[in-house]
Amino acid sequence: MSLRDDQLLELKDAIVNAFRPIENLFTVMGSASVDEGGEMARLCSEIGQELARSFRTKLDAALEKLTAETRQS
């Protein structure tokens, strides 16, 4: 299977756009007021945001590898 650079970019955009609502949820959770019992939400937000960063890093690495393999074909 050979993918062009524009197809890889479209694939990455589609994945990131599908994942964005989850990232937004973690961002909103991070703004919860501690006074209103939001400490747990804020802690979960930090965990979620770190997982989202890790996901994006791994997605970038996977797509870079796929790009390199496609160019070698």
Side-chain angles (χ1 to χ4, degrees):
M1 176 166 94
S2 178
L3 296 172
R4 297 184 322 264
D5 287 348
D6 60 331
Q7 289 175 314
L8 289 170
L9 187 57
E10 287 176 18
L11 175 62
K12 180 180 179 180
D13 286 344
I15 294 169
V16 168
N17 286 336
F19 189 68
R20 186 167 286 123
I22 296 169
E23 288 180 300
N24 290 343
L25 171 65
F26 293 132
T27 300
V28 169
M29 288 171 66
S31 65
S33 170
V34 175
D35 294 336
E36 297 174 9
E39 183 63 23
M40 179 65 79
R42 292 182 72 177
L43 292 172
C44 290
S45 171
E46 288 180 30
I47 293 167
Q49 289 175 347
E50 184 57 38
L51 289 171
R53 277 189 289 278
S54 175
F55 170 79
R56 284 184 179 258
T57 299
K58 290 180 181 190
L59 175 62
D60 285 341
L63 291 175
E64 284 177 24
K65 181 178 178 182
L66 185 58
T67 299
E69 290 173 358
T70 299
R71 288 183 178 156
Q72 289 177 358
S73 300

